[in-house]
Amino acid sequence: MASRRAPRFCDRPGLHAIALVGDYADLIARPRDGNLSAISEPSSGGTPAAMIDAKNQDELTRLAEDALRAQPGCETARVPVVVALPDVRIGRNWEIPNVVLGDSLISDVDRGVLSVHRQLGRKFRLV
């Protein structure tokens, strides 16, 4: 079930906007004159699709583990594997299903995993 958060609205002049609510929903904007080439990227600060790198499972697992260990309190946590999310076409198409805690507290690791999902999910897709 998708988490609920407040919708975001477009503040760029000359655009009609539809705000989506969900984990990785980006703002969809449509110019009033119908010229779609006027929009280069979402105004919400998201990464354009052309800028997202494709990674295989081993590369993405290594990146996720390094990013998690860089989080405060997660120095001993380990990511065994990342797995693909079924039927995802836009946004993050992978998740970290399990983490080996080591000496890290579960609250630190939980916060760290959410942060890694958010940070790396904007940059990398699993292929």
Side-chain angles (χ1 to χ4, degrees), residues 22-107:
D23 284 335
Y24 291 93
D26 285 325
L27 183 67
I28 297 175
R30 180 176 50 84
R32 289 190 180 122
D33 62 2
N35 181 7
L36 294 178
S37 63
I39 302 175
S40 59
E41 64 182 68
S43 64
S44 62
T47 305
M51 302 291 287
I52 297 176
D53 291 333
K55 298 288 182 185
N56 66 31
Q57 189 174 26
D58 293 334
E59 292 173 323
L60 195 52
T61 299
R62 185 176 35 82
L63 286 169
E65 182 164 338
D66 292 343
L68 180 63
R69 286 183 173 211
Q71 296 295 317
C74 300
E75 293 81 12
T76 60
R78 207 169 56 80
V79 176
V81 69
V82 297
V83 297
L85 292 171
D87 302 323
V88 175
R89 296 177 190 215
I90 297 174
R92 180 176 52 88
N93 69 339
W94 55 273
E95 69 177 349
I96 301 172
N98 299 308
V99 175
V100 178
L101 295 176
D103 292 332
S104 302
L105 297 175
I106 193 166
S107 59

Coordinates of all heavy atoms in Angstrom, one line a residue, residues 22-107:
G22 N 1.9 9.6 -3.4 CA 2.5 8.3 -3.4 C 3.9 8.3 -3.1 O 4.5 9.4 -2.9
D23 N 4.6 7.2 -3.0 CA 6.0 7.1 -2.6 C 6.9 7.9 -3.6 O 7.7 8.7 -3.2 CB 6.4 5.6 -2.6 CG 5.9 4.9 -1.3 OD1 5.7 5.6 -0.3 OD2 5.8 3.7 -1.3
Y24 N 6.8 7.6 -4.9 CA 7.7 8.2 -5.8 C 7.0 8.9 -6.9 O 7.4 8.9 -8.1 CB 8.7 7.1 -6.4 CG 9.6 6.7 -5.3 CD1 9.3 5.6 -4.5 CD2 10.8 7.4 -5.0 CE1 10.2 5.2 -3.5 CE2 11.6 7.0 -4.0 CZ 11.3 5.9 -3.2 OH 12.1 5.5 -2.2
A25 N 5.9 9.5 -6.6 CA 5.1 10.2 -7.6 C 5.8 11.6 -7.9 O 6.1 12.3 -7.0 CB 3.7 10.5 -7.1
D26 N 6.0 11.8 -9.2 CA 6.5 13.1 -9.6 C 5.4 14.0 -10.1 O 4.3 13.6 -10.4 CB 7.5 12.9 -10.7 CG 8.8 12.4 -10.3 OD1 9.2 12.7 -9.1 OD2 9.4 11.6 -11.0
L27 N 5.7 15.3 -10.1 CA 4.7 16.3 -10.5 C 4.6 16.2 -12.0 O 5.6 16.2 -12.7 CB 5.1 17.7 -10.1 CG 4.2 18.8 -10.4 CD1 3.0 18.7 -9.6 CD2 4.9 20.1 -10.1
I28 N 3.4 16.1 -12.5 CA 3.1 16.1 -14.0 C 2.6 17.5 -14.3 O 1.6 18.0 -13.8 CB 2.1 15.1 -14.4 CG1 2.6 13.7 -14.0 CG2 1.7 15.2 -15.8 CD1 1.7 12.6 -14.3
A29 N 3.3 18.2 -15.2 CA 2.9 19.5 -15.5 C 2.6 19.6 -17.0 O 3.2 18.9 -17.8 CB 4.0 20.5 -15.2
R30 N 1.6 20.4 -17.4 CA 1.2 20.5 -18.8 C 1.1 22.0 -19.1 O 0.4 22.7 -18.4 CB -0.2 19.9 -19.0 CG -0.6 20.0 -20.5 CD -1.9 19.2 -20.7 NE -3.0 19.5 -19.7 CZ -3.8 20.5 -19.7 NH1 -3.7 21.4 -20.7 NH2 -4.7 20.7 -18.8
P31 N 1.8 22.5 -20.1 CA 1.7 24.0 -20.4 C 0.3 24.3 -20.9 O -0.4 23.5 -21.5 CB 2.7 24.2 -21.5 CG 3.5 22.9 -21.6 CD 2.7 21.8 -20.9
R32 N -0.1 25.6 -20.6 CA -1.4 26.0 -21.0 C -1.6 26.1 -22.5 O -2.6 25.9 -23.0 CB -1.7 27.4 -20.4 CG -1.9 27.4 -18.9 CD -2.4 28.7 -18.4 NE -2.6 28.5 -16.9 CZ -2.0 29.3 -16.0 NH1 -1.2 30.2 -16.4 NH2 -2.2 29.1 -14.7
D33 N -0.4 26.3 -23.2 CA -0.5 26.4 -24.7 C -0.4 25.1 -25.3 O -0.5 24.9 -26.6 CB 0.5 27.4 -25.2 CG 1.9 26.9 -24.9 OD1 2.1 25.9 -24.3 OD2 2.9 27.7 -25.3
G34 N -0.2 24.0 -24.6 CA -0.1 22.6 -25.1 C 1.3 22.3 -25.6 O 1.5 21.2 -26.1
N35 N 2.3 23.1 -25.5 CA 3.6 22.9 -26.0 C 4.4 22.1 -25.0 O 4.9 22.7 -24.0 CB 4.3 24.2 -26.3 CG 5.7 24.0 -26.9 OD1 6.2 22.9 -27.2 ND2 6.5 25.1 -27.0
L36 N 4.5 20.8 -25.2 CA 5.2 19.9 -24.2 C 6.7 20.1 -24.2 O 7.4 19.7 -23.3 CB 4.8 18.5 -24.4 CG 3.4 18.1 -24.2 CD1 3.1 16.7 -24.5 CD2 2.9 18.4 -22.8
S37 N 7.3 20.7 -25.3 CA 8.7 20.8 -25.3 C 9.2 21.9 -24.3 O 10.4 22.0 -24.1 CB 9.2 21.2 -26.7 OG 8.6 22.4 -27.1
A38 N 8.3 22.7 -23.8 CA 8.7 23.7 -22.8 C 9.1 23.2 -21.5 O 9.7 23.9 -20.7 CB 7.5 24.7 -22.6
I39 N 8.8 21.9 -21.2 CA 9.1 21.3 -19.9 C 10.3 20.4 -20.1 O 10.3 19.5 -20.8 CB 7.9 20.4 -19.4 CG1 6.7 21.3 -19.3 CG2 8.3 19.8 -18.1 CD1 5.4 20.5 -18.9
S40 N 11.4 20.8 -19.4 CA 12.6 20.0 -19.5 C 12.7 18.9 -18.4 O 13.2 17.9 -18.6 CB 13.8 20.9 -19.4 OG 13.8 21.6 -18.2
E41 N 12.2 19.2 -17.2 CA 12.2 18.2 -16.2 C 11.1 18.6 -15.2 O 10.6 19.7 -15.2 CB 13.5 18.2 -15.5 CG 13.9 19.4 -14.8 CD 15.3 19.3 -14.2 OE1 16.3 19.3 -14.9 OE2 15.4 19.3 -13.0
P42 N 10.7 17.7 -14.3 CA 9.7 18.0 -13.3 C 10.2 19.1 -12.4 O 11.3 19.2 -12.0 CB 9.5 16.7 -12.5 CG 10.1 15.6 -13.4 CD 11.1 16.3 -14.2
S43 N 9.3 20.0 -12.0 CA 9.6 21.1 -11.1 C 9.9 20.7 -9.7 O 10.3 21.4 -8.9 CB 8.6 22.2 -11.2 OG 7.4 21.7 -10.6
S44 N 9.5 19.4 -9.4 CA 9.7 18.9 -8.0 C 11.1 18.5 -7.7 O 11.5 18.1 -6.6 CB 8.8 17.7 -7.8 OG 9.2 16.7 -8.7
G45 N 12.0 18.7 -8.7 CA 13.4 18.5 -8.5 C 13.8 17.0 -8.8 O 14.9 16.6 -8.4
G46 N 13.0 16.3 -9.4 CA 13.3 14.9 -9.8 C 14.3 14.8 -10.9 O 14.6 15.8 -11.5
T47 N 14.9 13.6 -11.1 CA 15.9 13.4 -12.1 C 15.2 13.0 -13.4 O 14.3 12.1 -13.4 CB 16.8 12.2 -11.6 OG1 17.3 12.6 -10.4 CG2 17.9 12.0 -12.6
P48 N 15.5 13.7 -14.5 CA 14.9 13.3 -15.8 C 15.2 11.8 -16.1 O 16.3 11.3 -15.7 CB 15.6 14.2 -16.8 CG 16.1 15.3 -16.0 CD 16.4 14.8 -14.6
A49 N 14.3 11.1 -16.8 CA 14.5 9.7 -17.1 C 15.8 9.4 -17.8 O 16.4 8.4 -17.6 CB 13.3 9.2 -17.9
A50 N 16.3 10.3 -18.6 CA 17.5 10.1 -19.4 C 18.8 10.1 -18.4 O 19.8 9.6 -18.8 CB 17.7 11.1 -20.4
M51 N 18.6 10.6 -17.2 CA 19.7 10.7 -16.3 C 19.8 9.6 -15.4 O 20.7 9.5 -14.6 CB 19.6 12.0 -15.5 CG 19.6 13.3 -16.3 SD 21.1 13.7 -17.1 CE 22.1 14.2 -15.8
I52 N 18.9 8.6 -15.4 CA 18.9 7.5 -14.5 C 19.8 6.4 -15.1 O 19.6 6.0 -16.2 CB 17.5 7.0 -14.3 CG1 16.7 8.1 -13.6 CG2 17.5 5.7 -13.4 CD1 15.2 7.7 -13.4
D53 N 20.7 5.9 -14.3 CA 21.6 4.8 -14.8 C 21.1 3.5 -14.5 O 20.4 3.2 -13.5 CB 23.0 4.9 -14.0 CG 23.8 6.2 -14.4 OD1 23.6 6.7 -15.5 OD2 24.6 6.6 -13.5
A54 N 21.3 2.6 -15.5 CA 20.9 1.2 -15.3 C 22.0 0.4 -14.7 O 23.2 0.5 -15.1 CB 20.5 0.6 -16.7
K55 N 21.7 -0.4 -13.7 CA 22.7 -1.2 -13.0 C 22.2 -2.6 -12.9 O 21.0 -2.9 -12.7 CB 22.9 -0.7 -11.5 CG 23.5 0.7 -11.5 CD 24.9 0.8 -11.9 CE 25.5 2.2 -11.8 NZ 26.8 2.3 -12.3
N56 N 23.1 -3.6 -12.9 CA 22.7 -5.0 -12.6 C 22.6 -5.2 -11.1 O 22.9 -4.3 -10.3 CB 23.7 -6.0 -13.3 CG 25.1 -5.9 -12.7 OD1 25.3 -5.7 -11.5 ND2 26.1 -6.2 -13.6
Q57 N 22.2 -6.4 -10.8 CA 21.9 -6.7 -9.4 C 23.1 -6.6 -8.5 O 23.0 -6.0 -7.4 CB 21.2 -8.0 -9.2 CG 20.6 -8.3 -7.9 CD 19.9 -9.6 -7.8 OE1 20.1 -10.5 -8.6 NE2 19.0 -9.7 -6.8
D58 N 24.2 -7.1 -8.9 CA 25.4 -7.0 -8.1 C 25.9 -5.6 -7.9 O 26.3 -5.2 -6.8 CB 26.6 -7.9 -8.8 CG 26.2 -9.4 -8.8 OD1 25.5 -9.8 -7.9 OD2 26.8 -10.1 -9.7
E59 N 25.9 -4.8 -9.0 CA 26.4 -3.4 -8.8 C 25.5 -2.6 -7.9 O 25.9 -1.9 -7.0 CB 26.4 -2.7 -10.2 CG 27.4 -3.2 -11.2 CD 27.2 -2.7 -12.6 OE1 26.1 -2.5 -13.0 OE2 28.3 -2.4 -13.2
L60 N 24.2 -2.8 -8.1 CA 23.2 -2.1 -7.2 C 23.3 -2.5 -5.8 O 23.2 -1.7 -4.9 CB 21.8 -2.2 -7.8 CG 20.8 -1.2 -7.3 CD1 21.2 0.2 -7.4 CD2 19.5 -1.4 -8.0
T61 N 23.5 -3.8 -5.6 CA 23.6 -4.3 -4.2 C 24.8 -3.7 -3.5 O 24.8 -3.2 -2.4 CB 23.7 -5.8 -4.2 OG1 22.6 -6.4 -4.7 CG2 23.9 -6.4 -2.8
R62 N 26.0 -3.6 -4.2 CA 27.2 -3.0 -3.7 C 27.0 -1.5 -3.4 O 27.4 -1.0 -2.3 CB 28.3 -3.2 -4.7 CG 29.7 -2.7 -4.1 CD 30.8 -3.0 -5.1 NE 30.5 -2.9 -6.5 CZ 30.4 -1.8 -7.2 NH1 30.7 -0.6 -6.6 NH2 30.1 -1.8 -8.5
L63 N 26.3 -0.8 -4.3 CA 26.0 0.6 -4.1 C 25.1 0.8 -2.9 O 25.3 1.7 -2.1 CB 25.4 1.2 -5.3 CG 26.3 1.5 -6.5 CD1 25.5 1.8 -7.8 CD2 27.3 2.6 -6.2
A64 N 24.1 0.0 -2.8 CA 23.2 0.1 -1.7 C 23.9 -0.2 -0.3 O 23.6 0.5 0.7 CB 22.0 -0.8 -1.9
E65 N 24.7 -1.2 -0.3 CA 25.4 -1.5 0.9 C 26.4 -0.4 1.3 O 26.4 0.1 2.5 CB 26.2 -2.8 0.8 CG 26.9 -3.2 2.1 CD 27.4 -4.6 2.1 OE1 26.8 -5.4 1.4 OE2 28.3 -4.9 2.9
D66 N 27.1 0.2 0.4 CA 28.0 1.3 0.6 C 27.2 2.5 1.1 O 27.6 3.2 2.1 CB 28.8 1.7 -0.6 CG 29.8 0.6 -1.0 OD1 30.1 -0.3 -0.1 OD2 30.3 0.6 -2.1
A67 N 26.1 2.8 0.5 CA 25.3 4.0 0.9 C 24.7 3.7 2.3 O 24.6 4.7 3.1 CB 24.2 4.2 -0.1
L68 N 24.3 2.5 2.6 CA 23.7 2.2 3.9 C 24.7 2.3 5.0 O 24.5 2.9 6.1 CB 23.1 0.8 4.0 CG 22.4 0.4 5.3 CD1 21.3 1.3 5.6 CD2 22.0 -1.0 5.2
R69 N 25.9 1.8 4.8 CA 27.0 1.9 5.8 C 27.5 3.3 6.0 O 28.1 3.6 7.0 CB 28.2 1.0 5.3 CG 27.9 -0.4 5.5 CD 29.0 -1.3 5.2 NE 28.7 -2.7 5.5 CZ 29.7 -3.5 5.9 NH1 30.9 -3.2 6.0 NH2 29.3 -4.8 6.2
A70 N 27.2 4.2 5.0 CA 27.6 5.6 5.2 C 26.6 6.4 6.1 O 26.9 7.5 6.6 CB 27.7 6.3 3.9
Q71 N 25.4 5.8 6.3 CA 24.4 6.4 7.2 C 24.8 6.3 8.7 O 25.4 5.3 9.1 CB 23.0 5.7 7.0 CG 22.5 5.8 5.6 CD 22.1 7.2 5.3 OE1 21.6 7.9 6.1 NE2 22.5 7.6 4.1
P72 N 24.5 7.3 9.5 CA 24.9 7.3 10.9 C 24.3 6.1 11.6 O 23.1 5.8 11.5 CB 24.3 8.6 11.4 CG 24.0 9.4 10.3 CD 23.8 8.5 9.1
G73 N 25.1 5.3 12.3 CA 24.6 4.2 13.1 C 24.5 2.9 12.3 O 24.1 1.9 12.9
C74 N 24.8 2.9 11.1 CA 24.6 1.7 10.2 C 26.0 1.2 9.7 O 26.0 0.5 8.7 CB 23.8 2.1 9.0 SG 22.1 2.7 9.4
E75 N 27.1 1.5 10.4 CA 28.4 1.1 9.9 C 28.6 -0.4 9.8 O 29.4 -0.9 9.0 CB 29.5 1.7 10.9 CG 29.6 3.2 10.8 CD 28.5 3.9 11.7 OE1 27.9 3.2 12.5 OE2 28.4 5.1 11.5
T76 N 27.9 -1.2 10.7 CA 28.0 -2.7 10.6 C 26.9 -3.4 9.9 O 26.9 -4.6 9.8 CB 28.1 -3.2 12.1 OG1 26.9 -2.9 12.8 CG2 29.3 -2.6 12.8
A77 N 25.9 -2.7 9.4 CA 24.8 -3.3 8.7 C 25.3 -3.8 7.3 O 26.3 -3.3 6.7 CB 23.7 -2.3 8.5
R78 N 24.6 -4.8 6.8 CA 25.0 -5.4 5.5 C 23.8 -5.7 4.7 O 22.7 -6.1 5.2 CB 25.7 -6.7 5.8 CG 26.7 -7.1 4.7 CD 27.6 -8.3 5.1 NE 26.8 -9.4 5.6 CZ 26.3 -10.3 4.7 NH1 26.4 -10.2 3.4 NH2 25.6 -11.4 5.2
V79 N 23.9 -5.4 3.4 CA 22.8 -5.6 2.4 C 23.1 -6.9 1.6 O 24.0 -6.8 0.8 CB 22.6 -4.4 1.5 CG1 21.5 -4.7 0.5 CG2 22.2 -3.2 2.3
P80 N 22.4 -8.0 1.9 CA 22.8 -9.2 1.1 C 22.4 -9.1 -0.4 O 23.2 -9.6 -1.2 CB 21.9 -10.3 1.8 CG 21.3 -9.7 3.0 CD 21.4 -8.2 2.9
V81 N 21.3 -8.5 -0.7 CA 20.8 -8.4 -2.1 C 19.7 -7.4 -2.2 O 19.0 -7.1 -1.3 CB 20.4 -9.8 -2.6 CG1 19.1 -10.2 -1.9 CG2 20.2 -9.9 -4.1
V82 N 19.6 -6.8 -3.4 CA 18.5 -6.0 -3.8 C 17.7 -6.8 -4.8 O 18.2 -7.6 -5.5 CB 18.9 -4.6 -4.4 CG1 19.6 -3.8 -3.4 CG2 19.6 -4.8 -5.7
V83 N 16.4 -6.7 -4.7 CA 15.5 -7.4 -5.6 C 14.6 -6.5 -6.4 O 14.3 -5.4 -6.0 CB 14.6 -8.5 -4.8 CG1 15.5 -9.5 -4.1 CG2 13.7 -7.8 -3.8
A84 N 14.2 -7.0 -7.6 CA 13.3 -6.2 -8.5 C 11.9 -6.2 -7.9 O 11.4 -7.2 -7.4 CB 13.3 -6.9 -9.9
L85 N 11.2 -5.0 -8.1 CA 9.8 -4.9 -7.8 C 9.0 -5.3 -9.1 O 9.4 -4.7 -10.1 CB 9.5 -3.5 -7.3 CG 10.1 -3.1 -6.0 CD1 9.8 -1.6 -5.8 CD2 9.4 -3.9 -4.9
P86 N 8.0 -6.1 -9.0 CA 7.3 -6.5 -10.2 C 6.4 -5.4 -10.7 O 5.9 -4.6 -9.9 CB 6.5 -7.7 -9.7 CG 6.3 -7.5 -8.3 CD 7.6 -6.8 -7.8
D87 N 6.3 -5.3 -12.0 CA 5.4 -4.4 -12.7 C 5.6 -2.9 -12.4 O 4.6 -2.2 -12.3 CB 3.9 -4.8 -12.4 CG 3.6 -6.2 -12.8 OD1 4.1 -6.6 -13.9 OD2 2.9 -6.9 -12.1
V88 N 6.8 -2.5 -12.2 CA 7.1 -1.1 -12.0 C 7.7 -0.5 -13.3 O 8.6 -1.0 -13.8 CB 8.1 -0.9 -10.8 CG1 8.5 0.6 -10.7 CG2 7.5 -1.4 -9.5
R89 N 7.0 0.6 -13.7 CA 7.5 1.2 -15.0 C 8.2 2.5 -14.8 O 9.0 2.9 -15.6 CB 6.3 1.4 -15.9 CG 5.7 0.1 -16.3 CD 4.5 0.3 -17.2 NE 3.8 -1.0 -17.4 CZ 3.2 -1.3 -18.5 NH1 3.2 -0.5 -19.5 NH2 2.6 -2.5 -18.6
I90 N 7.8 3.2 -13.7 CA 8.4 4.6 -13.5 C 8.9 4.6 -12.0 O 8.3 4.1 -11.1 CB 7.3 5.6 -13.6 CG1 6.8 5.7 -15.0 CG2 7.8 7.0 -13.2 CD1 5.6 6.6 -15.2
G91 N 10.1 5.2 -11.9 CA 10.6 5.4 -10.5 C 11.5 4.2 -10.1 O 11.9 3.4 -11.0
R92 N 11.7 4.0 -8.9 CA 12.5 2.9 -8.3 C 11.9 1.6 -8.6 O 10.7 1.4 -8.2 CB 12.7 3.1 -6.8 CG 13.6 2.1 -6.2 CD 13.8 2.4 -4.7 NE 12.6 2.7 -4.0 CZ 11.8 1.7 -3.4 NH1 12.2 0.5 -3.4 NH2 10.8 2.1 -2.7
N93 N 12.6 0.7 -9.3 CA 12.1 -0.6 -9.6 C 12.7 -1.7 -8.8 O 12.7 -2.9 -9.2 CB 12.2 -0.9 -11.1 CG 13.6 -1.1 -11.5 OD1 14.5 -0.7 -10.8 ND2 13.8 -1.8 -12.7
W94 N 13.3 -1.4 -7.6 CA 14.0 -2.3 -6.8 C 13.8 -2.0 -5.3 O 13.3 -0.9 -5.0 CB 15.5 -2.3 -7.1 CG 16.1 -1.0 -7.0 CD1 16.2 0.0 -8.0 CD2 16.7 -0.4 -5.8 NE1 16.8 1.1 -7.5 CE2 17.1 0.9 -6.2 CE3 16.9 -0.8 -4.5 CZ2 17.7 1.8 -5.3 CZ3 17.6 0.0 -3.6 CH2 18.0 1.3 -4.0
E95 N 14.1 -3.0 -4.5 CA 14.0 -2.7 -3.0 C 15.1 -3.5 -2.3 O 15.6 -4.5 -2.8 CB 12.6 -3.1 -2.5 CG 12.3 -4.6 -2.5 CD 11.0 -4.9 -1.9 OE1 10.3 -4.0 -1.3 OE2 10.6 -6.1 -2.1
I96 N 15.3 -3.1 -1.0 CA 16.2 -3.9 -0.1 C 15.3 -4.7 0.8 O 14.7 -4.1 1.7 CB 17.1 -2.9 0.7 CG1 17.9 -2.0 -0.3 CG2 18.0 -3.7 1.6 CD1 18.7 -0.9 0.4
P97 N 15.1 -6.0 0.5 CA 14.1 -6.7 1.3 C 14.6 -7.1 2.7 O 13.8 -7.2 3.7 CB 13.8 -8.0 0.5 CG 15.1 -8.2 -0.3 CD 15.6 -6.8 -0.5
N98 N 15.9 -7.3 2.8 CA 16.5 -7.8 4.1 C 17.8 -7.1 4.4 O 18.6 -6.8 3.4 CB 16.7 -9.3 4.1 CG 15.5 -10.1 3.9 OD1 14.5 -9.9 4.6 ND2 15.5 -11.0 2.9
V99 N 18.1 -6.8 5.6 CA 19.4 -6.2 6.0 C 19.9 -7.0 7.2 O 19.1 -7.3 8.1 CB 19.2 -4.7 6.4 CG1 20.5 -4.2 6.9 CG2 18.7 -3.9 5.2
V100 N 21.2 -7.3 7.2 CA 21.8 -8.0 8.3 C 22.3 -6.8 9.2 O 23.1 -6.0 8.8 CB 23.0 -8.8 7.9 CG1 23.7 -9.4 9.1 CG2 22.6 -9.9 6.9
L101 N 21.8 -6.8 10.5 CA 22.0 -5.6 11.4 C 23.4 -5.5 11.9 O 23.9 -4.4 12.0 CB 21.0 -5.7 12.6 CG 19.5 -5.6 12.3 CD1 18.7 -5.8 13.5 CD2 19.2 -4.3 11.6
G102 N 24.1 -6.6 12.1 CA 25.4 -6.5 12.8 C 25.2 -5.9 14.2 O 24.3 -6.3 14.9
D103 N 26.0 -4.9 14.5 CA 25.9 -4.2 15.8 C 25.0 -3.0 15.7 O 24.9 -2.2 16.7 CB 27.3 -3.8 16.3 CG 28.1 -5.0 16.7 OD1 27.5 -6.1 17.1 OD2 29.3 -5.0 16.7
S104 N 24.4 -2.7 14.6 CA 23.6 -1.5 14.4 C 22.2 -1.7 15.0 O 21.7 -2.8 15.1 CB 23.4 -1.2 12.9 OG 24.7 -1.0 12.3
L105 N 21.6 -0.6 15.5 CA 20.3 -0.6 16.0 C 19.3 -0.7 14.9 O 19.5 -0.1 13.8 CB 20.0 0.6 16.9 CG 20.9 0.8 18.1 CD1 20.6 2.1 18.7 CD2 20.7 -0.3 19.1
I106 N 18.2 -1.4 15.1 CA 17.2 -1.5 14.1 C 16.6 -0.2 13.7 O 16.3 0.0 12.5 CB 16.1 -2.5 14.5 CG1 15.2 -2.9 13.3 CG2 15.2 -2.0 15.6 CD1 14.4 -4.1 13.5
S107 N 16.4 0.7 14.6 CA 15.9 2.1 14.3 C 16.8 2.8 13.3 O 16.3 3.5 12.4 CB 15.6 2.9 15.5 OG 16.8 3.0 16.3

